[in-house]
Amino acid sequence: RVSGKELNRFVDLLMQQRELFVEEELLQSFSKMIAFVQQTEQHMNRPKFNTGKSAAEGNKLDINIQVVESLVRDFSSTWKQGIEQINRDVLSFFANFRNGMEVLKQVLTQLLLYYTRFQDIIRKVFRSKPPVFCKDLVSTSAILAEIKKHALSI
């Protein structure tokens, strides 16, 4: 019989492996956006050398508008195919119904979180005058609807 301590250790290991899988799966289709979000957030939260304020608190953040535009347009044109690929991968990698469903929900939730963080960066950087390409941002409700569709398909 497995003791509570041993069982908890294996559950923790399973969760760690699941988190690694989630990140790897998202990198297959959304690596550029994820890298942008992680690097930009890191830069925004770094205290400036002489002011003590973080970039998000008023220091100018130097972001290449063409890169952001490219990321917005790329995401808006490929996000559904990316979700469909994630769905296919999870279905093929996880034969266990319950485990596959949990993993799929976790991957799609993490995607939504990354995209929400991406939108937040755009709002902060272009606070005063959003660029024209902001009209191409996919609404989170559209992504949620697609996630629900796939989460119910398993």
Side-chain angles (χ1 to χ4, degrees):
R1 181 136 179 125
V2 180
S3 74
K5 215 177 211 181
E6 289 177 52
L7 180 62
N8 287 342
R9 175 75 179 127
F10 280 104
V11 168
D12 288 345
L13 288 171
L14 175 63
M15 292 302 130
Q16 289 173 6
Q17 291 303 309
R18 192 181 280 175
E19 287 171 18
L20 289 171
F21 176 84
V22 165
E23 291 299 320
E24 284 299 316
E25 190 61 34
L26 288 174
L27 289 175
Q28 298 299 314
S29 299
F30 304 105
S31 60
K32 291 177 186 172
M33 181 192 64
I34 291 170
F36 175 82
V37 167
Q38 291 172 336
Q39 292 166 3
T40 305
E41 284 178 340
Q42 187 176 32
H43 185 74
M44 290 173 84
N45 294 326
R46 186 181 312 144
K48 284 293 186 178
F49 177 68
N50 54 6
T51 65
K53 289 183 177 180
S54 70
E57 294 176 292
N59 292 321
K60 180 89 171 100
L61 184 61
D62 196 22
I63 292 197
N64 184 331
I65 193 166
Q66 286 84 17
V67 169
V68 177
E69 180 177 12
S70 169
L71 290 169
V72 167
R73 297 228 160 101
D74 183 50
F75 186 87
S76 69
S77 65
T78 63
W79 70 276
K80 279 189 179 183
Q81 297 95 306
I83 288 176
E84 287 175 18
Q85 184 60 51
I86 289 167
N87 188 49
R88 282 191 300 272
D89 288 349
V90 170
L91 287 174
S92 68
F93 294 149
F94 296 93
N96 179 291
F97 175 80
R98 266 188 28 202
N99 196 33
M101 178 70 125
E102 287 303 311
V103 171
L104 180 62
K105 285 181 185 176
Q106 193 171 347
V107 174
L108 297 178
T109 300
Q110 186 64 24
L111 170 62
L112 185 61
L113 290 172
Y114 273 123
Y115 190 68
T116 302
R117 289 161 54 191
F118 179 62
Q119 289 178 319
D120 289 344
I121 290 169
I122 292 171
R123 277 189 211 99
K124 286 176 185 170
V125 171
F126 303 110
R127 191 174 319 185
S128 57
K129 187 174 184 237
V132 176
F133 64 78
C134 285
K135 69 176 174 33
D136 293 329
L137 285 167
V138 178
S139 71
T140 52
S141 58
I143 296 171
L144 271 171
E146 194 71 16
I147 287 173
K148 285 178 184 174
K149 184 174 95 176
H150 286 281
L152 296 174
S153 71
I154 289 188

